[in-house]
Amino acid sequence: MKLNKLILDNFRNYNDLDITFDKDVVCFTGLNGQGKTNLIEAISVLGLLNSFRTNNYDEMKKFGEEYFFISGEFTDKNDNRLSIKISYSDKKKKVTFQDKKILKFSDFWGNIPIVYLIPDESVITTGPPLERRKFVDKLLSMIDREYFSLLKNYSKIIKQKNKILFDLKKENSFQTEMIDVYNDQIVLYGSKLFEKRVEFLKGFEKFFKDILIFISDGLFGGSISYSSEMDQKSYSSDLREKLSVNKRTEVYRGLSIIGPHKDDLIFDINGNDLRKYGSKGQHKLFLVALKLSEIKYIKSITDEYPVFLLDDLYSEIDEKKSAKIAKILDEDIQTFITTSNSGIIKQFDQNNTKIFNVINGAVNLV
Ligand SMILES: Nc1ncnc2c1ncn2[C@@H]1O[C@H](COP(=O)(O)OP(=O)(O)O)[C@@H](O)[C@H]1O
Ligand SMILES: [Mg+2]
């Protein structure tokens, strides 16, 4: 997938920007606070309809303005043109794809695959289990409709059950019969979620291992394993049993504590738990390898490379490693990079790069 044209109207610090891209590696340079990340954000919103910065479209509206409008023209691998337009005014979002109105955002997901790597995402390797589940859930929701609807149903059940548990706790009641109905559903959807996640990991980890070894020059071997309180050989029956055994505890806590919404991924580097023993550099490299694997995985499933957005990555990565990253991305993957150091662009195929300078919401070719 390639972005050929981007239009921003009252988006963040942009007035009216109309810019075309004819290269696969696009670099936005400039000082801090000029609007580099805003550009990456706009591109991600075109593909995902959500911002990595906020859930509130109001924040994306230029200060003091009444509306914003953004649009993108993409081409897929078969040279089909894809056009997406998003406008926002009076608290209303209007999204059209190929000039047809999108009523449900999830119906659109996957049409314009985007993978981004932004500094905030360091929490995927350093943060709590929730961050790693989000990584998997977001990726799979994008490319697997069934996963998305399973997850939606599952989350709904958990929410409803939590409400009941909360009420029971408040009333000091241990009348647990009514949560059996919810537990049946948790077993049903939860074990399918587990199966899909494990199946995904099998394919994903292959890419991941190769990529980590490659970019670390053979220094680091990595692995990813699924971690759960349930016995993974008999997940479904064990889930059922643990739900039943822990019923009173859940009521006591007023919270649903058993199920795949508590599962985690364990990241190992050279045989040690990254979270416990990894250096800062290892965390960073692991994260980059996760994202590059995401790109490869999406391509393996959908036969289309996503557009890759890299925000301020290169500040902490040494030249040898970033050259390796460039080598992977040179493989027909359109990559947008924001950086204050445009020197890193030299590592990419020079016939395929373009550098823009960003100054206070204006973008100019260098
Ligand atoms: N809704 C908005 N309207 C106008 N300007 C905004 C809005 N949101 C952020 N900005 C401005 O955008 C700038 C930050 O842009 P950003 O892309 O994050 O910078 P950088 O070039 O460092 O990546 C700041 O100057 C900020 O004030
Ligand atoms: Mg920035």
Side-chain angles (χ1 to χ4, degrees):
M1 187 68 59
K2 307 275 167 82
L3 174 64
N4 310 117
K5 189 179 175 68
L6 175 70
I7 291 178
L8 307 183
D9 192 356
N10 289 342
F11 183 88
R12 297 280 186 190
N13 66 336
Y14 291 90
N15 246 339
D16 48 357
L17 179 78
D18 183 336
I19 181 171
T20 52
F21 305 108
D22 55 1
K23 300 288 182 201
D24 284 351
V25 179
V26 179
C27 186
F28 299 122
T29 65
L31 300 174
N32 281 335
Q34 301 302 308
K36 302 185 296 294
T37 303
N38 293 344
L39 289 171
I40 297 277
E41 181 187 26
I43 299 171
S44 81
V45 174
L46 288 173
L48 308 169
L49 311 182
N50 291 315
S51 165
F52 48 68
R53 275 181 167 152
T54 174
N55 290 323
N56 186 353
Y57 269 43
D58 279 309
E59 288 172 31
M60 295 186 265
K61 232 167 30 178
K62 190 164 200 262
F63 297 147
E65 299 291 343
E66 297 291 307
Y67 74 96
F68 79 75
F69 170 81
I70 60 178
S71 83
E73 273 176 28
F74 294 80
T75 42
D76 69 10
K77 64 170 197 303
N78 299 320
D79 264 336
N80 295 314
R81 293 173 137 281
L82 304 174
S83 152
I84 169 100
K85 300 188 175 89
I86 303 175
S87 56
Y88 181 72
S89 67
D90 288 331
K91 305 253 168 221
K92 281 200 255 324
K93 303 168 185 173
K94 186 180 166 209
V95 179
T96 60
F97 179 55
Q98 304 297 59
D99 294 320
K100 275 198 216 75
K101 197 166 172 188
I102 302 290
L103 298 171
K104 242 169 61 195
F105 282 8
S106 56
D107 288 344
F108 166 77
W109 285 347
N111 276 298
I112 296 175
I114 303 266
V115 172
Y116 56 76
L117 176 49
I118 56 169
D120 280 355
E121 285 186 299
S122 58
V123 291
I124 294 176
T125 66
T126 61
L130 167 75
E131 301 295 341
R132 285 173 290 285
R133 284 194 305 271
K134 260 183 6 199
F135 170 71
V136 174
D137 287 343
K138 269 185 353 198
L139 200 175
L140 288 180
S141 296
M142 195 61 55
I143 55 178
D144 182 350
R145 303 247 162 232
E146 199 190 331
Y147 188 88
F148 173 74
S149 71
L150 275 171
L151 186 66
K152 213 167 95 178
N153 288 331
Y154 182 82
S155 309
K156 205 165 90 191
I157 301 294
I158 293 292
K159 218 166 148 186
Q160 289 169 348
K161 182 179 161 189
N162 276 342
K163 193 178 173 315
I164 304 272
L165 290 170
F166 182 79
D167 289 345
L168 288 175
K169 181 185 161 87
K170 218 169 57 187
E171 291 154 16
N172 239 325
S173 159
F174 278 85
Q175 299 234 303
T176 56
E177 307 82 53
M178 53 196 310
I179 54 181
D180 288 342
V181 185
Y182 292 100
N183 285 352
D184 285 346
Q185 306 271 305
I186 288 174
V187 173
L188 180 74
Y189 295 123
S191 41
K192 279 192 193 141
L193 277 180
F194 161 76
E195 279 163 27
K196 278 192 172 280
R197 285 177 182 169
V198 168
E199 188 195 310
F200 153 73
L201 265 191
K202 247 199 279 168
F204 182 82
E205 202 200 16
K206 280 199 201 98
F207 293 114
F208 177 79
K209 284 184 173 214
D210 288 351
I211 287 172
L212 187 62
I213 285 272
F214 178 74
I215 58 177
S216 71
D217 232 353
L219 225 52
F220 305 136
S223 68
I224 305 172
S225 48
Y226 196 84
S227 155
S228 172
E229 207 184 314
M230 265 60 78
D231 180 349
Q232 296 186 38
K233 289 200 185 74
S234 51
Y235 194 93
S236 168
S237 55
D238 202 29
L239 174 58
R240 183 176 293 283
E241 195 182 317
K242 290 213 160 61
L243 282 167
S244 155
V245 171
N246 286 285
K247 251 200 289 192
R248 287 180 75 90
T249 317
E250 288 194 320
V251 175
Y252 179 72
R253 301 260 309 259
L255 204 64
S256 165
I257 54 168
I258 305 289
H261 63 295
K262 293 283 158 187
D263 290 351
D264 195 2
L265 299 178
I266 306 291
F267 295 153
D268 268 358
I269 190 152
N270 287 352
N272 295 316
D273 188 335
L274 177 74
R275 240 178 118 203
K276 292 189 184 127
Y277 305 109
S279 70
K280 228 178 156 184
Q282 286 176 326
H283 274 275
K284 188 102 187 195
L285 220 55
F286 209 96
L287 182 63
V288 173
L290 283 174
K291 289 292 165 160
L292 295 174
S293 311
E294 188 175 343
I295 294 173
K296 296 276 176 179
Y297 185 80
I298 290 174
K299 161 82 172 163
S300 76
I301 300 292
T302 66
D303 205 25
E304 183 85 51
Y305 273 128
V307 173
F308 190 34
L309 311 175
L310 264 179
D311 191 28
D312 270 339
L313 168 78
Y314 287 98
S315 46
E316 289 160 49
I317 287 197
D318 67 54
E319 219 169 274
K320 211 165 156 196
K321 296 192 180 72
S322 60
K324 297 269 188 169
I325 296 169
K327 198 148 195 191
I328 293 178
L329 294 173
D330 263 336
E331 202 178 293
D332 207 28
I333 301 164
Q334 193 186 28
T335 305
F336 290 86
I337 300 170
T338 72
T339 177
S340 47
N341 164 25
S342 62
I344 55 106
I345 204 85
K346 291 195 189 75
Q347 297 174 326
F348 290 87
D349 172 5
Q350 287 307 289
N351 299 319
N352 206 8
T353 57
K354 213 158 227 184
I355 306 177
F356 293 93
N357 196 23
V358 181
I359 303 175
N360 196 16
V363 181
N364 292 299
L365 206 55
V366 170

